[in-house]
Amino acid sequence: MSDLPYMQERWFEVLKTACAERGVTTVAAELGFSNHTGTSRVLSGRYGNTERFAARVLARLDTVNCPHTGANEARALCHAQFAAEPPTHNPYRLAHWHACRRCAHRPEIES
């Protein structure tokens, strides 16, 4: 396997873990590909520009189980919920916002 810079990024680790757990063909289908060729090429370092592929991996595979809703949510949406202003107009969304403040999945606050 080549040691390309993208192989050190978070999305690549998420992809490798998912493929190890569920198989390349299953993960390719979850990403919306009809076959596993593209995913295999990314894993082996023989894929061109990986920017769009990385975005798809993060959107579809990098999920957390939300303790408040009980659903798997994309980590990016989870972080956006955490960073948002409190939604004072809706009691359920406000409760969700408060739950994000106590959640183990919350992003680290940078100093």
Side-chain angles (χ1 to χ4, degrees):
M1 191 186 265
S2 302
D3 192 24
L4 297 172
Y6 74 76
M7 292 181 171
Q8 306 303 317
E9 296 178 13
R10 175 170 174 65
W11 71 266
F12 189 76
E13 188 61 37
V14 169
L15 178 65
K16 278 191 338 187
T17 302
C19 288
E21 291 173 354
R22 300 188 294 276
V24 176
T25 303
T26 302
V27 171
E30 291 174 13
L31 291 173
F33 299 119
S34 60
N35 61 47
H36 69 277
T37 305
T39 305
S40 295
R41 291 186 65 171
V42 169
L43 289 169
S44 67
R46 294 180 290 132
Y47 195 84
N49 185 347
T50 58
E51 188 174 317
R52 287 179 49 202
F53 195 95
R56 190 178 286 198
V57 168
L58 291 175
R60 297 188 183 184
L61 299 179
D62 191 19
T63 61
V64 295
N65 188 336
C66 178
H68 183 74
T69 64
N72 279 339
E73 295 185 12
R75 188 176 299 273
L77 292 176
C78 178
H79 288 190
Q81 174 72 18
F82 179 80
E85 293 292 321
T88 57
H89 62 284
N90 183 316
Y92 178 78
R93 291 185 64 201
L94 183 60
H96 190 173
W97 184 85
H98 280 294
C100 287
R101 296 290 183 255
R102 298 182 304 275
C103 182
H105 302 297
R106 71 182 181 274
E108 294 299 316
I109 299 173
E110 297 179 8
S111 49

